[in-house]
Every structure is written in structure tokens, then in C-alpha cells.
Amino acid sequence: MKNNFNTIITSDQPVLVDFYADWCGPCKMLAPILKEVKKELKDTVKIIKIDVDKNQPLAAKYQVRGVPTMILFKNGKQVWRQSGVLQKNDIINIINSKQ
């Protein structure tokens, strides 16, 4: 996963990474919100989900202490991060401001 992850986040396109866990209630609330974000922004953003329990080294590398944590990457650089659930319009505004 690690090599693949680095390839994904180094694209010109913004990449929103959702660090989540299956047992996390707020993560379950965020999932449909992210689907709506993707539906609205289409190919202007890539959204990937990373299960912190299955990818502990990756979660540790990015110092994910709580879930859900969203990190936005552009050209491999972290340009924004937030823990917790945000509403669709807030996420869209953040992604658009980092384009």
C-alpha cells in the first residue's frame, strides 16, 4: 500500500485521504458525505479511504491520532488536515480553495 499511496498523492489532482476505522461512528457519518463531495466535484478531486487498523504504519507516518481524519494532498504535499466530521459544503470549499 505504501508505494501505491505515494504514487496516488503525488498527482496534480488534489487527493483527499480519509483515515477511518470500521468501529468508528463518526467515520460512518462521514462516508456518505464524501460520496456527495465526489459526486459534485467529479474528477477534480480523488478521494481515498485508508483503514487505520489495516494500515497502521501509514497512519503513524501522518500522525493520525483520531478518526476520522481527513488530509488533503496536492503534488504530494499535505495542504490541509482536519479531524472529525465536516459538512459537504465545507469540504468542497476547502478543496476548491486549495486547487
Side-chain angles (χ1 to χ4, degrees):
M1 177 61 177
K2 190 173 183 196
N3 292 337
N4 197 16
F5 182 81
N6 288 336
T7 305
I8 292 168
I9 66 168
T10 53
S11 81
D12 290 340
Q13 178 186 41
V15 179
L16 182 65
V17 181
D18 172 25
F19 287 93
Y20 78 100
D22 288 332
W23 46 262
C24 162
C27 299
K28 290 180 173 80
M29 289 169 40
L30 184 60
I33 295 170
L34 292 178
K35 280 193 174 98
E36 289 294 314
V37 169
K38 180 64 178 170
K39 200 158 101 180
E40 191 161 319
L41 294 179
K42 298 183 176 41
D43 292 335
T44 61
V45 66
K46 183 174 284 197
I47 299 175
I48 61 172
K49 296 174 73 62
I50 302 289
D51 185 330
V52 294
D53 292 329
K54 294 179 182 154
N55 297 283
Q56 290 178 348
L58 200 54
K61 178 181 177 182
Y62 291 100
Q63 299 174 343
V64 175
R65 304 268 183 260
V67 286
T69 294
M70 292 177 284
I71 302 178
L72 185 64
F73 292 92
K74 179 92 174 156
N75 297 317
K77 292 185 176 65
Q78 180 178 313
V79 294
W80 174 84
R81 90 181 271 152
Q82 173 83 40
S83 293
V85 177
L86 291 178
Q87 295 308 308
K88 178 183 88 165
N89 289 337
D90 295 332
I91 297 170
I92 289 171
N93 289 338
I94 289 159
I95 292 168
N96 286 337
S97 75
K98 304 296 182 188
Q99 298 262 13

